[in-house]
Amino acid sequence: MLNGKRIVVVMPAYNAEQTVEQTVAEIPRPVVDHIILVDDHSHDDTVAVAARLEGVEVIEHERNKGYGGNQKTCYRRALACEADVIVMVHPDYQYTPRLCCAIASMVAYGVYDCVLGSRILGTTALRGGMPLYKYVANRLLTMFQNILLGVKLSEYHTGYRAFSRAALEAIPFADNSDEFVFDNQVLLQLVAGGYRIGELSCPTRYAPESSSISFRKSVRYGLGVVGMTLRLLVHRLGWRRSPLFARVNPRPE
């Protein structure tokens, strides 16, 4: 626990056999109360390896539900486990689990409602192996979103993030996409509700055993981000209401 808050780590897994053990080993157990791994119908031995790890609850999808669909299961289960702070850690070891305590504390002590582990802060992204085209796309999409939404984040596209229970319960994440754009939809919903989003510099590691989406899926994700940003802008201007944002409960003053 941190500040009397129950900390739950969720791990959306897909073909993470080679890295899941190392990832779990570096999660700060004195702070984290529970670990949930949701396997999205992997083709390797991710489930078998995870099942051998102490203190890890393993949930298996009978069919592949997509990255967003996996997170939906993660968050539902974490909320059912009475989590006060939910931290998402990818089991592919692309983000260091050692920062779980730092990220969770910023939520547990009420500084922010959501905290992102940013690969851009600290200029470690390219040194960590992020492909140049992904870096450029990240910067362009982030600039586009910041300008249109009046927000100032270093990136919207990291998979390392922590949420307060209240923030997750306030957004209709179950209605979001089952694909990669789910991540961005969640952030846009929090922006729409006036929730506080903070960032923490996080080194990244791109390696052959780390998961990475294909160029084709990256393009689809980018187009989805542009579309969702415009959708929120139109919603804000009152031109066309969107259920994804209209159903967000605003942050209490």
Side-chain angles (χ1 to χ4, degrees):
M1 283 191 171
L2 281 169
N3 194 33
K5 307 293 185 181
R6 179 171 168 81
I7 313 299
V8 173
V9 166
V10 297
M11 306 176 74
Y14 183 68
N15 293 341
E17 171 191 3
Q18 298 182 55
T19 54
V20 63
E21 185 170 5
Q22 183 179 12
T23 303
V24 170
E26 294 185 12
I27 293 174
R29 295 300 186 97
V31 171
V32 173
D33 297 282
H34 192 50
I35 301 172
I36 301 165
L37 182 141
V38 179
D39 181 77
D40 201 26
H41 201 64
S42 293
H43 300 301
D44 64 4
D45 290 329
T46 297
V47 171
V49 173
R52 295 198 299 264
L53 303 178
E54 184 178 355
V56 177
E57 177 185 356
V58 179
I59 298 173
E60 296 181 64
H61 283 169
E62 295 182 356
R63 60 177 179 82
N64 186 279
K65 296 186 178 182
Y67 177 61
N70 193 325
Q71 284 191 66
K72 292 174 186 179
T73 301
C74 286
Y75 297 145
R76 288 192 191 103
R77 180 56 187 157
L79 293 173
C81 289
E82 300 183 344
D84 296 305
V85 179
I86 299 93
V87 183
M88 180 171 72
V89 178
H90 286 190
D92 63 358
Y93 201 66
Q94 188 177 122
Y95 307 93
T96 174
R98 293 189 178 100
L99 288 177
C100 278
C101 181
I103 290 177
S105 68
M106 296 166 74
V107 177
Y109 283 89
V111 180
Y112 294 105
D113 306 298
C114 170
V115 175
L116 308 177
S118 172
R119 300 164 293 181
I120 305 303
L121 289 175
T123 66
T124 62
L126 291 174
R127 290 203 303 271
M130 178 185 282
L132 181 59
Y133 82 89
K134 287 191 176 184
Y135 178 82
V136 172
N138 185 308
R139 306 315 303 129
L140 291 175
L141 286 172
T142 294
M143 180 175 66
F144 171 78
Q145 292 191 280
N146 279 338
I147 292 173
L148 262 66
L149 302 177
V151 181
K152 192 174 181 180
L153 293 176
S154 68
E155 74 159 319
Y156 291 74
H157 317 294
T158 174
Y160 201 0
R161 44 187 66 187
F163 304 93
S164 70
R165 180 184 187 90
L168 276 185
E169 288 182 331
I171 62 175
F173 66 81
D175 296 338
N176 291 350
S177 169
D178 286 339
E179 302 303 324
F180 287 97
V181 76
F182 174 93
D183 268 353
N184 206 252
Q185 289 175 320
V186 166
L187 290 184
L188 294 185
Q189 287 169 328
L190 293 176
V191 168
Y195 289 85
R196 303 164 302 172
I197 303 175
E199 295 183 281
L200 182 73
S201 177
C202 174
T204 188
R205 169 186 172 274
Y206 280 78
E209 65 272 18
S210 299
S211 64
S212 183
I213 65 175
S214 66
F215 179 77
R216 179 182 177 184
K217 288 185 177 181
S218 295
V219 171
R220 186 188 306 167
Y221 169 79
L223 293 174
V225 167
V226 171
M228 289 306 305
T229 304
L230 293 174
R231 188 170 170 182
L232 176 54
L233 180 63
V234 168
H235 174 85
R236 277 181 162 182
L237 293 172
W239 296 348
R240 184 174 181 180
R241 302 286 287 174
S242 168
L244 286 184
F245 304 119
R247 293 183 56 221
V248 173
N249 293 324
R251 186 179 186 275
E253 295 295 333

